[in-house]
Amino acid sequence: MEFSQQLSTTPKSAEERAKILADPGFGDFFTDHTAIVDWTQDASGKGVWHDARIEPYGPIMMDPAASVLHYGQEIFEGLKAYRHADGSVWTFRPEANAARFNTSARRLALPELPTDVFIDSLKRLVSVDVDWVPTGEGEALYLRPFMIATEAFLGVRPSHEVSYRVIASPAGNYFGGELKPVSIWLSTSYARAGHGGTGEAKCGGNYAASLAAQLEAEANDCKQVLFLDPTNDFAVDELGGMNVFFVFTDGTLVTPELNGNILHGVTRSSVIELARERGLTVQERKITIEEWRTAAADGSLAEVFACGTAAVITPIGELKTTDESIVTPETGKDSVAMAIREQLLGIQTGTVEDTHGWLTRLV
C-alpha cells in the first residue's frame, strides 16, 4: 500500500524540539505528523483499506454520532523506536504487536490490518519525524497505533467505517527518575476484566475500568494497582497496565497463565524466552495472593517485578492492602529482573546482539 505524504507547514523548530527532548516525560509531547489508513465496508459487506497517508498531527474531525464515542469500539498498541549508535532507528518485535492488534480487532469486531501495512505505517511516520527520536539513556520514541470506529450512527452493530492511525511521542522513564522498586496497591473492590470479556484485548475500555482503582492506589502512595480473579481463588491477573512475574529462591520464575483475562504482553513473552535461556525454570500458572503472602513470609520469594512496553521491567518492592503490607526482599543489580532488563534494553538499543531476530529497522 502506497502512503501519500502531506508534510506539516508548522513543524516544531529545532530549538523547540531540543527543549522537549531535554525532558520528554511520557506521553506529554507529540511529533509533527501522523500516519492514517481508512477502512470502509460497502453494501455487500466487503471491506477495504484505502487512502494511506502521512498528515500533520492535529485534531481528528469526527461526527458527534461516531460509534467510538458511544460504544467504545476501538483498540490500540504500544511500541518504541530506539536510536542506535550509528544513527539508525529500530523497533522491537513489531510483528508481535501487529498480531496482537489483530487479536484485539477480532474481539472488538473491527477489521484486521495486514501486518505489512502496520509495520510500513511505523516506518513512514518515523522517517518523517526521525529528528524526534531521543538519544538519552533509556529514552525512545513511543509509537501509538490505534483504530477507531468512525461511522456516524446510533445502532448497536460493528461500524462500517474505521480509521487506523499512528501517533508518536518522545518518552523518558515511565515512572520517572532513577529506577527503584515501586509500591503496588491491591484492589479488593474492582476487577480489571471478567471471563469472556475483553481482558486479553488491548482496548481503551479495559484501561478506563482500571482508573478508579488506580486513584485508590495513588491515594495510598502506590504507582500501580494489582487486580485479582475473585472467581479463581483470588489468583493474580495483572497490573492496570503491566504483566507481573515472581522469582523464587529455587530458580523458578512464575507468571500468571494466559486465561483470557490477561494481556498477551510482548515484553512478557520476551522475558519468558530470555529467562529460559538463562537456565530459569519458567512456569505459567495460577498464583494466588495467599501463595504470594506465604512465600514472602517464609523467604522463598526472591523478587517480584512488572513488565510492559512503556516501563520495560520495574521491580516491585511492596504490595499494599487496606490492612497489610507484603514486602519483597531488596535486590541489587545482579537480580533476575535487572539482568533481564539490561539484556532487553541492550537488544533494543543495539548494544547487545539480537540473536532472536527481534529488531526491525525503521530508518
Side-chain angles (χ1 to χ4, degrees):
M1 182 175 289
E2 292 296 324
F3 279 73
S4 64
Q5 188 167 287
Q6 177 191 345
L7 297 184
S8 173
T9 58
T10 58
K12 290 285 192 298
S13 67
E15 292 76 15
E16 291 174 306
R17 191 171 57 248
K19 184 177 180 180
I20 291 171
L21 293 181
D23 185 19
F26 189 91
D28 297 323
F29 304 97
F30 300 91
T31 66
D32 296 308
H33 298 90
T34 180
I36 306 172
V37 189
D38 295 323
W39 180 89
T40 306
Q41 179 177 314
D42 62 23
S44 69
K46 180 181 179 181
V48 62
W49 290 102
H50 58 92
D51 293 331
R53 59 201 185 273
I54 298 295
E55 290 185 355
Y57 180 94
I60 299 174
M61 298 297 293
M62 188 181 301
D63 193 288
S67 177
V68 66
L69 302 176
H70 301 272
Y71 305 120
Q73 197 184 10
E74 65 81 42
I75 58 174
F76 67 95
E77 270 299 323
L79 308 85
K80 284 182 175 179
Y82 294 87
R83 191 181 296 278
H84 289 193
D86 63 358
S88 61
V89 179
W90 301 71
T91 194
F92 182 75
R93 300 189 68 184
E95 299 86 357
N97 289 95
R100 187 173 66 182
F101 195 64
N102 282 333
T103 297
S104 299
R106 289 190 295 272
R107 183 62 184 85
L108 273 294
L110 288 162
E112 295 185 40
L113 182 75
T115 297
D116 60 336
V117 177
F118 181 94
I119 295 175
D120 201 27
S121 69
L122 308 179
K123 292 179 178 180
R124 299 288 181 169
L125 179 59
V126 175
S127 67
V128 298
D129 283 339
V130 66
D131 291 337
W132 282 91
V133 182
T135 57
E137 183 178 356
E139 295 179 345
L141 184 66
Y142 184 79
L143 304 173
R144 170 54 61 84
F146 62 101
M147 189 189 298
I148 56 175
T150 54
E151 183 183 2
F153 80 108
L154 297 180
V156 183
R157 61 160 172 76
S159 177
H160 294 172
E161 297 175 6
V162 163
S163 180
Y164 164 76
R165 295 168 178 258
V166 187
I167 57 177
S169 173
N173 188 293
Y174 184 72
F175 289 116
E178 180 183 356
L179 182 68
K180 55 184 179 181
V182 296
S183 295
I184 302 299
W185 178 252
L186 176 64
S187 176
T188 57
S189 302
Y190 302 101
R192 175 186 169 274
H195 295 286
T198 59
E200 65 180 6
K202 199 166 178 66
C203 62
N206 292 342
Y207 294 81
S210 74
L211 295 180
Q214 180 65 32
L215 290 176
E216 278 189 356
E218 293 172 1
N220 287 276
D221 297 321
C222 293
K223 293 289 189 181
Q224 269 280 351
V225 59
L226 175 75
F227 292 100
L228 305 179
D229 182 354
T231 69
N232 189 25
D233 299 324
F234 295 97
V236 173
D237 268 353
E238 64 173 273
L239 306 185
M242 305 173 76
N243 297 116
V244 62
F245 282 84
F246 303 83
V247 183
F248 290 85
T249 54
D250 64 358
T252 302
L253 180 68
V254 176
T255 192
E257 60 190 340
L258 299 175
N259 57 9
N261 295 358
I262 296 172
L263 189 68
H264 294 226
V266 176
T267 306
R268 175 188 181 277
S269 65
S270 305
V271 167
I272 289 172
E273 190 164 342
L274 294 179
R276 285 178 172 146
E277 291 175 359
R278 289 175 173 271
L280 293 168
T281 300
V282 179
Q283 297 177 355
E284 297 179 70
R285 62 169 175 83
K286 180 173 77 174
I287 180 167
T288 65
I289 193 65
E290 181 58 33
E291 181 180 356
W292 187 344
R293 182 184 291 113
T294 300
D298 66 20
S300 60
L301 182 64
E303 305 174 38
V304 185
F305 63 89
C307 72
T309 297
V312 188
I313 289 177
T314 298
I316 296 174
E318 177 185 20
L319 177 68
K320 289 185 179 182
T321 75
T322 54
D323 54 11
E324 70 174 322
S325 170
I326 303 175
V327 177
T328 304
E330 290 189 15
T331 54
K333 293 183 178 180
D334 59 346
S335 67
V336 170
M338 290 299 95
I340 294 179
R341 184 178 193 274
E342 290 303 309
Q343 186 178 4
L344 262 180
L345 280 172
I347 293 170
Q348 292 167 343
T349 58
T351 61
V352 172
E353 183 183 1
D354 174 24
T355 59
H356 303 84
W358 282 342
L359 296 180
T360 293
R361 184 169 182 164
L362 298 179
V363 180

